Amino acid sequence: MQPFGYIEPRTLDDTLRLAQEHPDARFLAGGTTIIDLMKSGAMRPSVLIDINRLDALNDVALDDNGTLHIGALARMSDVASNDRLRRQAPGLSEALLFAASGQLRNMASIGGNLLQRTRCLYFRDRHFPCNKRVPGSGCGAIGGDNRNLAVLGTSEHCIANYAGDFAVMLAALDGVVHARRLAGERSIAARDFYRLPGDTPEIETVLEPGELIVGVSVPTGSLSRHSHYLKVRDRSSYEFASVSVAAAVDFAKDRTIREARMALGGLAAKPWYVGLTAECLVGHRPDDRDALERLADLALEGARPQPGNAYKLPQARGAIICAFRTLAERYAGDRS
């Protein structure tokens, strides 16, 4: 690991000023990912700016308009167990609880979780070519070990996938990421926060240099209260998703679907928001297999699997059906 500086500012303004003065600096919160990447040489910041003294970024609150606000420094385990969040957006709690291990969730922050890097082994091992780590060096995963990588939104330069869970549910629930720099604060729809690789796989989000995530917000209501996160993985603990489904439904009195949202994880370099979910499902019952199959067709349209990960397509179809049926069973149980 190369030598680096360490700074611990006490105010948000000082933090943003330091980030502007040190363009290649990185922010440090829980440190559960960045330290590993620095040790492997995948990331080489000259300065770490420790933001853990910014207490205002720790809050979790529900405002009078029913919007849930989560500070960027709130720890994953604290957010997952928050009573208001569990009642108003159970899918977000599930997404956090299915991520990492208990020890890591106790340290990892919400902001850091959103910015986690891909788990592609070619990115994390500097002895292999990787356009994300060294632009122009090639993509070792194409024709290599790609079993758990992307099948949607890939390019000839990169087939890495986004490994997180929370962001997938956040996108499904119309969540917003709030970011700040010296010039001011802006709000970014979670579904627009990440970028597909295209010709620049090294640029993963729309954040500007020196910009800091300060929190996220989620509108709550019937959709968020009937949300579910289904994670399919090789083992039941501390494993990244091969496929995940973030689903949310508002049911009519006759138990048909009145409104619906869905995003998929594990399949692309970003949470894969399926904008036509409501069009496919509204007016149908959640056990209408034809409607769910149409939704799966649309969600997976344009997929370009590698020989090692073609299994993800039938797996995703089954997961989509299972996620919506689980929501229907829960709703029936609540009404009985």
Side-chain angles (χ1 to χ4, degrees):
M1 179 165 39
Q2 74 169 25
F4 61 92
Y6 172 85
I7 309 174
E8 190 179 36
R10 297 297 197 271
T11 69
L12 183 55
D13 286 344
D14 284 346
T15 300
L16 299 176
R17 178 182 53 78
L18 287 165
Q20 187 176 66
E21 292 174 359
H22 301 276
D24 60 346
R26 292 293 181 269
F27 298 115
L28 175 67
T32 58
T33 294
I34 192 171
I35 302 302
D36 287 344
L37 292 173
M38 290 172 65
K39 287 179 178 179
S40 70
M43 293 182 68
R44 301 169 65 86
S46 63
V47 176
L48 289 181
I49 301 174
D50 189 333
I51 61 174
N52 284 293
R53 296 296 186 108
L54 306 182
D55 293 337
L57 304 186
N58 283 310
D59 295 340
V60 180
L62 184 69
D63 69 20
D64 294 339
N65 296 318
T67 299
L68 190 66
H69 299 273
I70 305 171
L73 282 180
R75 305 300 161 171
M76 291 172 62
S77 56
D78 293 333
V79 178
S81 62
N82 182 275
D83 287 339
R84 287 178 175 172
L85 182 134
R86 292 173 65 184
R87 290 195 303 271
Q88 297 295 331
L92 285 175
S93 177
E94 291 173 333
L96 290 168
L97 289 172
F98 290 149
S101 65
Q103 296 93 329
L104 288 173
R105 291 195 298 270
N106 287 339
M107 286 296 297
S109 68
I110 291 297
N113 182 261
L114 292 176
L115 293 175
Q116 65 181 287
R117 309 294 299 274
T118 182
R119 297 288 158 171
C120 176
L121 65 88
Y122 297 95
F123 169 71
R124 290 175 173 263
D125 190 331
R126 65 181 184 273
H127 297 99
F128 290 109
C130 173
N131 287 320
K132 188 180 288 292
R133 177 169 35 79
V134 182
S137 63
C139 177
I142 297 176
D145 186 348
N146 47 50
R147 180 180 180 273
N148 209 29
L149 299 183
V151 298
L152 290 166
T154 58
S155 76
E156 62 182 347
H157 302 285
C158 183
I159 60 170
N161 63 338
Y162 175 74
D165 300 295
F166 180 75
V168 183
M169 196 74 240
L170 196 66
L173 294 180
D174 302 323
V176 175
V177 179
H178 303 282
R180 187 178 297 178
R181 54 179 173 166
L182 285 177
E185 184 170 325
R186 63 175 175 143
S187 300
I188 309 157
R191 69 188 66 157
D192 299 325
F193 181 72
Y194 300 93
R195 292 167 46 113
L196 293 176
D199 296 333
T200 54
E202 73 276 12
I203 305 174
E204 298 178 350
T205 74
V206 299
L207 284 179
E208 299 289 341
E211 201 166 22
L212 173 68
I213 295 175
V214 294
V216 301
S217 59
V218 185
T220 63
S222 184
L223 264 176
S224 67
R225 285 191 288 273
H226 298 107
S227 59
H228 172 50
Y229 186 74
L230 173 64
K231 183 174 183 176
V232 182
R233 47 189 171 168
D234 287 346
R235 57 185 181 183
S236 61
S237 66
Y238 195 15
E239 184 60 273
F240 299 97
S242 56
V243 171
S244 66
V245 180
V249 171
D250 181 16
F251 289 102
K253 290 183 179 179
D254 62 358
R255 297 187 181 179
T256 59
I257 294 173
R258 183 161 50 194
E259 187 58 274
R261 299 281 191 279
M262 183 180 76
L264 303 176
L267 299 177
K270 60 184 290 184
W272 197 256
Y273 180 76
V274 184
L276 294 175
T277 300
E279 183 176 317
C280 289
L281 298 184
V282 168
H284 296 273
R285 295 181 66 88
D287 59 355
D288 185 335
R289 191 176 184 92
D290 288 341
L292 291 170
E293 289 285 0
R294 285 195 300 272
L295 175 59
D297 287 340
L298 285 170
L300 301 173
E301 187 176 7
R304 295 187 297 178
Q306 298 289 313
N309 62 11
Y311 75 93
K312 286 194 172 194
L313 299 182
Q315 190 178 74
R317 287 180 173 277
I320 289 168
I321 293 169
C322 183
F324 282 99
R325 285 184 173 174
T326 297
L327 282 171
E329 291 169 3
R330 289 181 181 178
Y331 181 75
D334 292 341
R335 301 286 291 179
S336 61

